[in-house]
């Protein structure tokens, strides 16, 4: 049996993409990243994919005539590659039915809060503003709701301060480890 195939979607820096690609490269993940999808041409994740030799589909949904057309092209490419699991890693868009109908139940996301608290793009800043003392990371299945869907894994950490940058730094280390561990567990059950 060949290696399981992952697609990783990202919109920005791509440190989670890199953690997953690196884990595939050094054998901690029994998988390959067969496709990186990015909706922000020019995002740093694009250069990371190049460095790892991961094929990329990078396009602006607007320029492709909208989200449905953009996602239809992604589905076409993922079907052709035989993608087993889709990992959203800082992909800042809600998925439409085009992707959810085709890959629902096989799409997961990582989010920098203990969901259901602090959904959305500024979860860490909101949690700091709120003054929480226990932060965390959540990995969940993706549905049509923003950061919704059944929770797969969570990891908490304590922080008693007011610096969102520091929370991001602590959280990202946890994200990289937790995402790799969780993907490996899910793949072993596929
Ligand atoms: C990650 O911290 C991820 O949890 C967050 O975006 C960051 C992407 O970082 N996702 C969300 O906020 C989803 N609502 P990266 O590009 O360095 O992997």
């Amino acid at each position: 049996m060949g290696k399981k195939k992952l697609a990783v979607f990202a919109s920005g820096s791509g440190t989670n993409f890199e953690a997953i690609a690196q884990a595939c490269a050094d054998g901690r993940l029994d998988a390959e990243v067969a496709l990186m999808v990015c909706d922000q041409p020019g995002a740093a994740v694009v250069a990371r994919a190049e460095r790892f030799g991961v094929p990329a589909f990078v396009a602006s949904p607007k320029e492709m005539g909208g989200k449905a057309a953009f996602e239809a092209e992604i589905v076409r490419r993922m079907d052709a590659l035989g993608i087993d699991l889709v990992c959203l890693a800082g992909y800042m868009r809600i998925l439409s039915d085009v992707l959810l109908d085709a890959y629902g139940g096989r799409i997961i996301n990582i989010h920098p809060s203990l969901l259901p608290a602090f959904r959305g793009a500024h979860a860490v800043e909101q949690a700091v503003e709120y003054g929480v003392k226990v932060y965390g990371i959540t990995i969940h299945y993706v549905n049509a709701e923003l950061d919704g869907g059944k929770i797969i894994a969570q990891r908490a950490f304590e922080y008693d301060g007011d610096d969102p940058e520091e929370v991001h730094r602590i959280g990202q280390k946890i994200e990289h480890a937790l995402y790799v561990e969780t993907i490996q567990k899910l793949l072993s059950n596929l």
Side-chain angles (χ1 to χ4, degrees), residues 93-116:
R93 260 172 215 279
I94 293 181
L95 302 188
S96 85
D97 284 348
V98 175
L99 264 165
L100 291 173
D101 287 349
Y103 282 83
R106 286 183 290 162
I107 309 179
I108 63 176
N109 180 45
I110 191 159
H111 182 75
S113 77
L114 293 173
L115 288 172

Side-chain angles (χ1 to χ4, degrees), residues 122-137:
H122 306 289
V124 167
E125 288 71 17
Q126 284 171 16
V128 170
E129 180 66 29
Y130 217 92
V132 306
K133 305 296 178 228
V134 180
Y135 291 78
I137 303 300

Side-chain angles (χ1 to χ4, degrees), residues 1-7 30-31 82-87 103-108 141 182-190:
M1 214 171 63
K3 285 191 175 180
K4 294 278 197 273
K5 291 188 177 178
L6 306 175
D30 194 16
I83 296 296
D84 296 292
L85 185 67
V86 177
C87 306
Y103 282 83
R106 286 183 290 162
I107 309 179
I108 63 176
Y141 287 105
T182 303
I183 291 168
Q184 184 60 34
K185 272 191 206 150
L186 290 175
L187 289 180
S188 64
N189 290 326
L190 278 185

Side-chain angles (χ1 to χ4, degrees), residues 93-94 115 119-121 140 143-149:
R93 260 172 215 279
I94 293 181
L115 288 172
R119 297 176 184 211
H140 62 93
N143 61 18
E145 266 174 60
L146 176 66
D147 299 316

Side-chain angles (χ1 to χ4, degrees), residues 63-183:
E63 280 166 21
M64 287 192 65
K67 191 191 269 193
F70 177 67
E71 289 191 358
E73 176 61 19
I74 295 170
V75 168
R76 197 185 66 71
R77 289 177 187 234
M78 295 206 300
D79 287 351
L81 289 163
I83 296 296
D84 296 292
L85 185 67
V86 177
C87 306
L88 308 189
Y91 183 69
M92 296 310 208
R93 260 172 215 279
I94 293 181
L95 302 188
S96 85
D97 284 348
V98 175
L99 264 165
L100 291 173
D101 287 349
Y103 282 83
R106 286 183 290 162
I107 309 179
I108 63 176
N109 180 45
I110 191 159
H111 182 75
S113 77
L114 293 173
L115 288 172
F118 307 118
R119 297 176 184 211
H122 306 289
V124 167
E125 288 71 17
Q126 284 171 16
V128 170
E129 180 66 29
Y130 217 92
V132 306
K133 305 296 178 228
V134 180
Y135 291 78
I137 303 300
T138 301
I139 295 171
H140 62 93
Y141 287 105
V142 171
N143 61 18
E145 266 174 60
L146 176 66
D147 299 316
K150 195 174 178 337
I151 291 172
I152 305 165
Q154 289 186 311
R155 193 159 290 167
F157 60 97
E158 291 182 23
Y159 174 74
D160 189 2
D162 59 4
D163 180 2
E165 287 308 311
E166 203 177 345
V167 178
H168 273 293
R169 268 197 301 278
I170 301 166
Q172 283 231 307
K173 275 202 188 124
I174 294 172
E175 287 193 347
H176 300 161
L178 187 63
Y179 220 177
V180 169
E181 282 170 36
T182 303
I183 291 168

